[in-house]
Amino acid sequence: CSGPQAEGFSQGGLDASRADLWASANTSLLQGFWCQPARQLSRDQLSALIRRMASQQVPLKAWQLSCLANLAARHSLQGDFPFHPADLLLFYNLTQVREADCQAFIRHAAQGDMELLANLPDQRAALRHAAMACLGGPRPQLSASDLLLLGILVCDMDASSIVASDSRVLQNLQCCPRLTTTQQAALNTLLASGRTRLGPPNSWNLEGLQTLGRLATYISPGLWVQVQEAVGLDFFSSMVAACRAGQLSQRDTRRFVTGFLEAKAASSRPKRGTGRHCIRGDITAATLRDDLFLVRYDCSQLESCLGSRVLRANLDPLLQHPLPTECQRVVKAKLAQIYPRGIPEEQLRRITSLVYLYSRAEIGQWNITSRDTVVALLASDVALENQTEAVLQKFLDHNGTVTSALLVAIGGSRLCWMSPAQIRAIRPSEFRLAGALDISSCPQSRKDVLYAKAREAFGSTRTTATYYHLMRPYLGGAPLEELQHLAQENVSMDIDTFTNLNPRVLQSLSVGNVTTLLGQNVGDLQKARSHPTISSWLRSLNSSALGELGLDTNPIGPTRPARLTTVTPNTTPWAPHLAPTSGRPGNDAPTSGSPPANLGYLPLAVALPSSLLWLLYRGACTTSHHLRPPGRWSPEHPFCAPR
């Protein structure tokens, strides 16, 4: 890691006199975990480390969790799951879960972040099937106790199951990062039925609506029409206030506002003969402070009643409102009248929510001289591909440079939308300092350019282990020769990184190459076999080759329960059914395990030798944050708790 060294560190390892650092290692240090050096840890050391991660609630990423799960399996630590992070359980080999532990395991796993399994679709489906097996098999209606067990797994339920479930399903759905179109329809059907604690829509009150949290943003216009007007307006005001205070995202609030205003327009008698005249009264600074501003002024009245002087002086409070797209276009047009030669730089930092409306030619009129302006315009995640490239180019045209701080501030996804020339212009030293940037969403053409830039930055790294660790985020653009070399170096690539490789290059890898490249993680292919990149490669193999990989030749998905009697490395064929034991799952299933008393209570300073601590944490200073769902399911307190 080329960033500043933490106190107590040296290139040779952790200073023995400062081993006390690890007895109280904080979350940011533990986030830098990586698996290759962790393979040297003993069973007790690894157990202590995993428990430390659980107690500190360390937010690890998918590439870290998948290989850590396999390390835990190699050391037969899966049975200690009650003391492990919930996110880690999502990656465990489900054939190794005893039937007697079924409900306790699912209850704990259901507190994890299912979005971490984005590249492991079969594992995600298997968890759902295993959870239903815990309940005795699929059933037409899920009870309140069933929902308490399933937690976040309910986010994968189909629409019919949501409608048929106990009304407490709303508490589970609040933890979902998003709802599909059919799930939204099911939610509205359930709310319309009156079976929830809110009762029928015409009896809803402010307190009841507020208990819905983000789910209220999915309420359809058809239901808002039935809600008493005073209640609806009070709730509208509270939602806008929450948005302006940063407690609710602009996207969620805009979805709510659009549906609510559509309902209001449908229930209001249209006024004739008003044309484009201002009938609501001129908009003032005081008007813009009103949380009901968007109810009182629709987009046509915004155009008629908003004067240039008020707009220029009150751009911030106006854009703090979750304006519908039509209203945003009105504001953009008025700004063009005020600033015909381009918006001044001091005002650009205020229009982040409007950036996506501007063309490359319009952005060409702007003057962007400050890094802060670039960050304001791009860090909001609103600007699209053309806007990203154009904004950066205006900055570069004014002698700006893309620094590591700028790359970290705007995020790795922005690299996807920079032009190849802009990427090549980044200095290798700045790229090194930026650390691991997430470019998994980039098109292949950009991954190829970014791989070349990463090679330029990290190519002189002394050891293969460190080289792989630094290059891992950029291997999606790696050529065949690079992957073959890494396979020979025994890097044990994690499955999350593997799914992001260039699909065309992957087609050229032999079964032997893949087996060696993945190493101890090869069994994870079963968890990802429906992933487009993986399934395409698997279809090119014959049954003999599939057998070499430990994969059966049956269609994707389990066909029979697995019966495992020993815990083995995660290279065995995987199935989502739980291994039966002499007992049967029931409501009295244990909620905690009974691991040996000598595990987990070792001070980390004793459990981990200092020579390994440096390796485990040397990436911590470049750890970047990732987006997470709104909250975690808590079975003790069945509502969505903030992460």
Side-chain angles (χ1 to χ4, degrees), residues 27 183 203 209 225 228 241 251 341 356 383 407 445 536 573 618:
T27 300
Q183 287 175 328
S203 69
L209 283 168
V225 169
Q228 296 177 41
R251 180 175 299 179
R341 296 184 180 179
Y356 77 100
L407 289 172
S445 60
S536 176
R618 66 182 296 168

Side-chain angles (χ1 to χ4, degrees), residues 68 148 157 175 180 343 433 435 509 529:
L68 180 58
L148 193 63
M157 284 173 51
C175 291
T180 66
I343 301 174
L433 287 169
L509 287 176
R529 64 185 302 173

Side-chain angles (χ1 to χ4, degrees), residues 12-62:
L14 179 67
D15 187 328
S17 67
R18 299 307 311 276
D20 59 293
L21 284 174
W22 303 108
S24 57
N26 61 29
T27 300
S28 63
L29 289 175
L30 292 171
Q31 275 184 273
F33 168 85
W34 58 301
C35 281
Q36 192 163 33
R39 285 183 281 173
Q40 303 173 50
L41 299 179
S42 69
R43 185 181 192 274
D44 285 358
Q45 291 166 350
L46 185 64
S47 176
L49 176 61
I50 293 174
R51 290 174 180 234
R52 182 70 178 169
M53 290 172 170
S55 66
Q56 292 290 313
Q57 299 183 338
V58 180
L60 298 178
K61 298 181 182 179

Side-chain angles (χ1 to χ4, degrees), residues 21 55 92 136 198 202 230 283 295 301 324 345 361 402 406 469 495 535 546 575 601:
L21 284 174
S55 66
Y92 276 155
L198 277 71
N202 60 10
I283 294 172
V295 174
Q301 283 297 289
E345 184 163 11
V402 179
L406 178 58
H469 181 58
I495 192 66
S535 63
L546 290 173
Y601 301 100

Side-chain angles (χ1 to χ4, degrees), residues 216-262:
T217 68
Y218 294 105
I219 295 177
S220 68
L223 290 187
W224 283 124
V225 169
Q226 303 174 46
V227 177
Q228 296 177 41
E229 183 178 17
V231 172
L233 291 177
D234 284 347
F235 186 66
F236 185 96
S237 180
S238 71
M239 291 289 276
V240 172
C243 176
R244 296 171 73 184
Q247 298 168 355
L248 191 64
S249 73
Q250 281 268 347
R251 180 175 299 179
D252 286 340
T253 314
R254 191 169 289 115
R255 179 173 57 241
F256 159 72
V257 165
T258 300
F260 186 92
L261 294 181
E262 182 180 330

Side-chain angles (χ1 to χ4, degrees), residues 304-344:
S304 302
C305 303
L306 180 61
S308 298
R309 182 178 300 177
V310 173
L311 174 59
R312 186 187 290 110
N314 296 276
L315 191 54
D316 266 342
L318 172 61
L319 294 182
Q320 284 175 8
H321 289 277
L323 302 177
T325 301
E326 182 186 351
C327 293
Q328 289 181 324
R329 294 187 184 280
V330 169
V331 175
K332 180 195 169 192
K334 286 184 173 290
L335 287 173
Q337 294 172 3
I338 298 172
Y339 306 112
R341 296 184 180 179
I343 301 174

